[in-house]
């Protein structure tokens, strides 16, 4: 096992599950081997077993296997070919529509609070926890995945294409299939930048980011034969300076989320 | 292994990881056995290995082990005793402050977009994916966890108590320790309510929710000796009719999130 971080280099193999977690890499190239619907059933069952806030289970997932549909979603996601090429493309959606239907059934006319920021966050977290469980289940079966935030590029078109009703929004996609590549593990931030004890220590962060800048520059240099070595913090600065999906707030409000 | 859903009842044991995922239950009672900081390091390393949007790693986690601090957080989370009683309480925070610092370093004066709904969602998802990886790693080590959304009850006080700067918000807590209980697995929605093929099928949902109402009523009746049997959809209707954490939108905007 090639280790992810310098910190991990001291770790011995602990158990199958932790080894699997530490070995995650995003897969963007898949073999032609198809996935059976039963495999998707099992993977989604593992997703459903994740924690959910007060058991509200505020998510749905669309498994896309139709060629034409995958092709269209690839186009809408910024022309990412692997969205089309993967055997199954899962679209994970935050979904408060079941709760709203329950309220209309049992308490018609009663004021309800699905349109709060709190409920947007709860539904978004529920969706992410289920999706991550599914990702791990898939990887434990020898499959590979990559999350696709690009489905938010044209989120209204994606929602319409998949027939999403009010109070359902596509959070991210997930390509899934048998890996046809084995990318290097990308180092993460030194743990000292991320983990704090008994209180937030902002002073630790700057020094650790400098350390990480060096680690990532060296990593990029090695991988690109010297062609690239932009430090992480510079990449992040560039990223934050770019307007990205400025339509999200308005789109969510139009679909009934975070209206108050 | 007691199976989670009727659907799962047909599943044979597949592998260690999927069995672990399907057997998740939230743990709210812990033995006195302490956790070592090195265990927390390993669990957070597994969290850091999760997918992250464009490698931004927009989260931090505060490991709380000090008695007084756990006690105060328990009080602020709606007097949930296990927040105090667990050996380690993790507070998972969405964190865009490292990105903002990078932008100020490399591009001072440049307009930046950390205050968009898109960035709130990206940071929230990054945090949830890391936390769920950590939860699974912990469970694979024989530990138990429960997510604590209650830290958002008094989110400003929690943020101040932990010294969180601008652009960092506490998303949820997580109690962690050695389980001193083995709760029943709670059935989830029938998979047909949650998983759709090639497009959202709203018509499936109503029928499946009715099925689930019966399953959950029977489950509650059995567990409470007949004292409780409220159907799930009725519990959800009640939940949606209650104003819950209406301060979240304003709190987030005050901390620099979703201001536009």
């Amino acid at each position: 096992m090639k280790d992810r971080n310098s910190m991990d280099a001291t770790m011995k193999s602990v158990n199958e599950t932790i080894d699997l977690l530490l070995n995650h890499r995003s897969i963007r190239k898949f073999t032609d081997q198809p996935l059976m619907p039963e495999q998707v059933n099992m993977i989604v069952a593992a997703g459903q077993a994740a924690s959910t806030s007060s058991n509200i289970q505020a998510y749905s997932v669309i498994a896309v296997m139709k060629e034409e549909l995958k092709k269209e979603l690839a186009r809408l996601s910024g022309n990412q070919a692997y969205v089309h090429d993967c055997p199954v493309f899962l679209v994970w959606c935050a979904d408060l529509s079941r709760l709203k239907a329950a309220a209309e059934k049992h308490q018609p006319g009663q004021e309800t609070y699905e349109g709060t920021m709190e409920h947007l966050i709860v539904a978004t977290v529920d969706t992410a926890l289920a999706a991550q469980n599914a990702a791990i289940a898939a990887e434990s079966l020898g499959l590979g995945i990559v999350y696709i935030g690009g489905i938010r590029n044209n989120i209204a078109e994606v929602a319409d294409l998949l027939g999403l009703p009010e109070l359902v929004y596509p959070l991210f996609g997930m390509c899934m299939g048998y890996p046809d590549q084995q990318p290097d593990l990308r180092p993460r931030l030194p743990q000292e930048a991320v983990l704090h004890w008994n209180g937030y220590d902002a002073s630790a962060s700057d020094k650790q980011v400098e350390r990480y800048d060096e680690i990532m520059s060296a990593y990029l240099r090695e991988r690109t034969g010297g062609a690239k070595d932009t430090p992480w913090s510079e990449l992040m600065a560039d990223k934050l300076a770019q307007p990205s999906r400025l339509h999200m707030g308005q789109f969510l409000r139009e679909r009934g989320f975070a209206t108050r």
Side-chain angles (χ1 to χ4, degrees), chain A:
Chain A
M1 164 181 153
K2 187 170 174 183
D3 290 301
R4 166 144 250 142
N5 276 344
S6 52
M7 204 217 72
D8 303 344
T10 58
M11 279 186 190
K12 295 192 199 72
S13 172
V14 184
N15 63 43
E16 190 179 302
T17 299
I18 289 184
D19 288 355
L20 183 80
L21 296 173
L22 293 176
N23 271 291
H24 164 73
R25 58 260 283 168
S26 295
I27 298 298
R28 295 180 175 82
K29 195 164 185 297
F30 301 95
T31 71
D32 289 339
Q33 191 177 340
L35 253 76
M36 298 298 111
E38 293 72 20
Q39 288 173 290
V40 177
N41 290 137
M42 177 178 295
I43 288 162
V44 171
Q48 289 189 259
S51 292
T52 155
S53 177
S54 305
N55 201 31
I56 69 171
Q57 304 173 69
Y59 57 86
S60 287
V61 53
I62 324 279
V64 180
M65 298 181 89
K66 275 191 190 157
E67 284 306 316
E68 274 311 301
L69 202 47
K70 279 191 294 171
K71 192 174 171 186
E72 187 62 7
L73 288 166
R75 188 183 68 78
L76 291 169
S77 305
N79 293 310
Q80 301 188 62
Y82 30 98
V83 172
H84 183 199
D85 298 339
C86 62
V88 175
F89 184 65
L90 297 176
V91 181
W92 292 91
C93 304
D95 187 343
L96 293 170
S97 73
R98 277 189 298 269
L99 267 63
K100 181 68 174 172
E104 282 169 356
K105 179 179 172 184
H106 293 289
Q107 308 188 357
Q110 167 86 39
E111 184 180 10
T112 52
Y113 291 88
E114 70 281 355
T116 59
M117 180 66 89
E118 166 68 9
H119 272 94
L120 170 65
I121 284 171
V122 162
T124 301
V125 167
D126 256 31
T127 310
L129 301 186
Q132 184 58 12
N133 254 25
I136 292 160
E139 290 178 344
S140 81
L141 295 167
L143 297 163
I145 64 108
V146 60
Y147 281 88
I148 304 293
I151 63 159
R152 298 194 301 275
N153 287 0
N154 297 285
I155 193 166
E157 289 82 350
V158 168
D160 290 344
L161 188 65
L162 298 173
L164 303 186
E166 179 101 335
L167 288 169
V168 182
Y169 91 90
L171 178 55
F172 43 67
M174 183 184 282
C175 301
M176 191 174 280
Y178 289 93
D180 197 22
Q181 62 177 183
Q182 171 86 326
D184 289 338
L185 288 178
R186 189 160 51 174
R188 296 292 195 230
L189 280 162
Q191 190 168 89
E192 296 88 331
V194 168
L195 172 61
H196 307 253
W197 297 91
N198 296 304
Y200 195 95
D201 178 11
S203 73
S205 187
D206 289 355
K207 199 174 58 190
Q208 297 303 333
V209 168
E210 276 177 36
R211 240 180 93 198
Y212 188 51
D213 276 349
E214 288 170 22
I215 294 168
M216 284 301 288
S217 289
Y219 168 83
L220 286 173
R221 233 179 349 259
E222 192 192 310
R223 287 189 76 203
T224 62
K228 282 189 188 174
D229 67 350
T230 314
W232 180 80
S233 65
E234 215 173 306
L235 293 172
M236 294 301 112
D238 288 347
K239 196 171 163 52
L240 216 53
Q242 287 161 25
S244 168
R245 301 174 192 145
L246 300 183
H247 55 265
M248 282 298 294
Q250 195 189 334
F251 170 81
L252 288 172
R253 285 188 294 275
E254 283 170 6
R255 299 291 169 134
F257 291 95
T259 53
R260 61 170 173 180

